[in-house]
Amino acid sequence: MSAAVPLRAGASAGAGAGASAGASARARANATTEAPWVKWTLIGVALAFLTFFLFIPLTVVFVEALKKGWGVYLAAVVEPDAVSAIKLTLIAAAISVPMNLVFGVAAAWSIAKFEFRGKNLLLTLIDLPFSVSPVISGLIFVLVFGLQGWFGEWLRDHDLKVIFAVPGIVLATVFITFPFVARELIPLMQAQGTEQEEAARVLGAGGWQIFWRITMPNVKWALLYGVILCNARAMGEFGAVSVVSGHIRGQTTTMPLHIEILYNEYQFAAAFAVASLLALLALVTLALKYAVEQRVKAQKRNAGDRAE
């Protein structure tokens, strides 16, 4: 009899612990589970917002672009000023994206792999274009390189033009887009740590060998993701480029500026035709972004698992 009492007591304690754990699990589930009507209401609100502010405007762009037929659409796209705007947009992106690629990799590598004075300041400066209006950044370049600016007289004496010319557009684009690559790489490199690089160094690998064979393969998808975002931002930039370009038609107008000029001249079909090219670029960028994003998430998970 005395031996049976502890057994019954143990069973009771076990049952009580199980019931307590079950009650705790149900409480957690109730705390994180909403009623069905709440869930469907939130989904409906989100879909309505996307419909009115994304899907409908995007559809209108293509409908208006093709409203007068393919002939008018193609004429607007191959018109000399439009071709010049497309070329200038591609040139600005082709110069600014590689420059920001180099800067982003160098900044991310130094911030994630080394400790040095001014590290937090560098991080803050990288985020500067996110906190400064593009128009203000354009005005800064005008004040520095304009005719009345700090280097204006020197540039004029040497017959060099920055503002109201292609170099000014490239500078403005570089400034606006330089955080994207660095900001994609820094968290991933920090999560991966320095163990692999240190092991390679112990085994006799040089700096460039470590960079190309260990660091770069581990961040290649995040790097591509940052390049995609940087390129999309470069091609769609309006504010800073508008300030430094001078709106010289056929010479310093990018695609967004050309669209604005056409719209202000009431050439709606031509404006929407050029806008549809930017919209197509955005859709292609979105598809690439989604595909690369999945790779980046998997890479970050692997980096987190190795860190643990």
Side-chain angles (χ1 to χ4, degrees):
M1 287 294 292
S2 60
V5 173
L7 290 175
R8 286 197 299 269
S12 302
S20 176
S24 177
R26 285 193 297 272
R28 286 195 299 270
N30 292 333
T32 57
T33 303
E34 299 290 347
W37 69 269
V38 174
K39 179 178 69 173
W40 290 112
T41 300
L42 292 175
I43 293 174
V45 170
L47 289 176
F49 184 88
L50 289 174
T51 300
F52 284 106
F53 292 98
L54 179 61
F55 299 141
I56 291 178
L58 191 61
T59 303
V60 168
V61 168
F62 290 100
V63 170
E64 291 293 328
L66 299 171
K67 192 174 183 179
K68 296 185 178 180
W70 282 100
V72 175
Y73 179 88
L74 293 176
V77 171
V78 300
E79 189 257 337
D81 289 341
V83 172
S84 175
I86 294 171
K87 286 182 179 178
L88 183 55
T89 302
L90 294 177
I91 289 171
I95 297 174
S96 61
V97 172
M99 291 178 66
N100 287 324
L101 170 64
V102 174
F103 167 79
V105 172
W109 196 19
S110 62
I111 290 172
K113 306 298 183 180
F114 304 100
E115 293 294 333
F116 55 91
R117 288 185 178 180
K119 183 175 180 178
N120 291 331
L121 177 61
L122 179 57
L123 278 169
T124 303
L125 292 177
I126 288 174
D127 289 336
L128 188 62
F130 290 146
S131 57
V132 175
S133 168
V135 175
I136 300 301
S137 64
L139 286 174
I140 292 172
F141 287 114
V142 172
L143 293 174
V144 174
F145 299 107
L147 188 59
Q148 306 300 324
W150 293 355
F151 303 106
E153 292 186 6
W154 186 88
L155 291 170
R156 182 191 59 192
D157 294 341
H158 290 78
D159 196 25
L160 298 173
K161 289 191 68 176
V162 175
I163 302 303
F164 306 150
V166 175
I169 294 173
V170 172
L171 282 175
T173 305
V174 168
F175 177 80
I176 292 299
T177 57
F178 78 76
F180 289 97
V181 175
R183 268 303 172 189
E184 288 302 320
L185 293 179
I186 290 171
L188 180 58
M189 285 187 172
Q190 288 177 333
Q192 290 174 343
T194 60
E195 291 82 3
Q196 295 184 22
E197 285 86 352
E198 291 171 355
R201 173 64 73 181
V202 170
L203 294 173
W208 286 111
Q209 287 180 309
I210 295 173
F211 177 76
W212 287 112
R213 296 187 179 184
I214 296 177
T215 304
M216 285 302 294
N218 287 336
V219 300
K220 60 184 179 181
W221 292 111
L223 179 63
L224 180 58
Y225 183 65
V227 168
I228 290 172
L229 293 180
C230 181
N231 182 69
R233 187 72 172 87
M235 289 191 173
E237 173 53 29
F238 179 84
V241 172
S242 177
V243 175
V244 302
S245 70
H247 289 75
I248 305 173
R249 197 162 184 171
Q251 297 183 33
T252 63
T253 52
T254 58
M255 291 175 69
L257 300 182
H258 186 62
I259 293 169
E260 181 200 26
I261 291 173
L262 292 174
Y263 193 85
N264 290 337
E265 293 178 349
Y266 302 103
Q267 300 183 46
F268 299 126
F272 280 108
V274 180
S276 68
L277 296 180
L278 281 179
L280 285 173
L281 171 67
L283 294 175
V284 171
T285 301
L286 188 65
L288 291 174
K289 173 179 173 293
Y290 176 79
V292 175
E293 198 172 33
Q294 304 308 308
R295 294 276 190 169
V296 173
K297 287 180 179 178
Q299 202 170 55
K300 288 183 177 179
R301 284 196 300 269
N302 294 334
D305 293 340
R306 286 197 298 267
E308 291 175 0

